[in-house]
């Protein structure tokens, strides 16, 4: 069974803190993605990665950075958390091996910044 | 820019009723996925359709990909409370990125 795990289901941080969200997949997928999901705005892509040490900006990268040191792990970093980063964060992975390309999601991290 | 629209935005029905939700775009997609998301959880992949005109069935759920690969529909027969959730469609866009629709929030009342 495919599996994407995220380090925390719920997280509460203070404004200005540095926040790390971790994502691990066990499917040997090349692609990994970070989204945020907000009511009325749907899923918005923050960053994605096609390979180890590679990263590409998505639609809303401002205020975020990412790290991919190992194929199975993709980390999202909030350098200085702000209240407008309160959201549901979803990690996903997909394979490059042939098509169609299907994304598999983790359970999400509900982040609250106070 | 590739965009996906979904309709209706909200749907509340009684158990046992049938329903159809729609996913539309002006763009062509290589493939299209349907997900169901329950509150507080990540989206779970239900099906992927690839060929124009393709129909796939998953128990009481029937998925169809439009002939031109620009739209898709999800039909649920005899809906049950367990079908409640947010239904998302996603198209495989450029460079293996995915374009998501805003979702249809379905509530099936017992």
């Amino acid at each position: 069974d495919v599996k994407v795990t995220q380090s925390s289901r719920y997280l509460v941080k203070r404004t200005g803190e540095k926040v790390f969200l971790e994502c691990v997949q066990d499917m040997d997928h090349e692609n990994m993605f970070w989204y945020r999901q907000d009511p009325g705005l749907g899923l918005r892509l923050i960053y994605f990665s096609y390979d180890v040490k590679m990263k590409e900006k998505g639609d809303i990268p401002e205020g975020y950075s990412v790290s991919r040191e190992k194929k199975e792990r993709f980390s999202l970093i909030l350098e200085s958390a702000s209240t407008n980063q309160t959201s549901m964060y979803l990690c996903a992975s997909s394979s490059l091996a042939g098509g169609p390309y299907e994304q598999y999601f983790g359970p999400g991290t509900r982040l609250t910044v106070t | 820019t590739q965009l996906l629209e979904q309709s209706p935005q909200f749907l509340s029905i009684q158990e046992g009723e049938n329903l159809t939700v729609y996913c539309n775009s002006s763009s062509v997609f290589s493939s299209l996925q349907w997900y169901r998301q329950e509150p507080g959880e990540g989206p779970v992949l239900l099906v992927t359709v690839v060929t124009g005109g393709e129909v796939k069935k998953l128990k009481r759920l029937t998925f169809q990909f439009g002939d031109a690969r620009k739209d898709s529909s999800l039909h649920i027969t005899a809906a049950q409370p367990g079908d409640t959730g947010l239904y998302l469609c996603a198209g495989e866009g450029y460079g293996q990125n995915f374009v998501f629709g805003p979702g249809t929030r379905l509530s099936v009342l017992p």
Side-chain angles (χ1 to χ4, degrees), chain B residues 20 28 39 58 108:
Chain B
T20 303
V28 175
L58 189 67
V108 182

Side-chain angles (χ1 to χ4, degrees), chain A residues 100, chain B residues 30-32 47-57 62-69 71-73:
Chain B
S30 304
S31 67
L32 197 137
V47 78
T48 298
V49 286
V50 179
T51 307
E54 181 177 5
V55 176
K56 280 192 174 179
K57 292 193 175 183
T62 301
F63 304 85
Q64 184 161 8
F65 203 12
D67 291 341
R69 291 185 290 133
D71 54 82
S72 182
S73 64

Side-chain angles (χ1 to χ4, degrees), chain A residues 9 37 50 96 101-103 107, chain B residues 37 40 48 92 95-96 98:
Chain A
R9 296 298 305 274
Q37 185 177 31
Y50 289 146
L96 276 176
Y101 300 107
E102 298 174 335
Q103 283 197 323
Chain B
Q37 185 179 20
T48 298
E92 180 193 339
Q96 294 143 31
F98 293 82

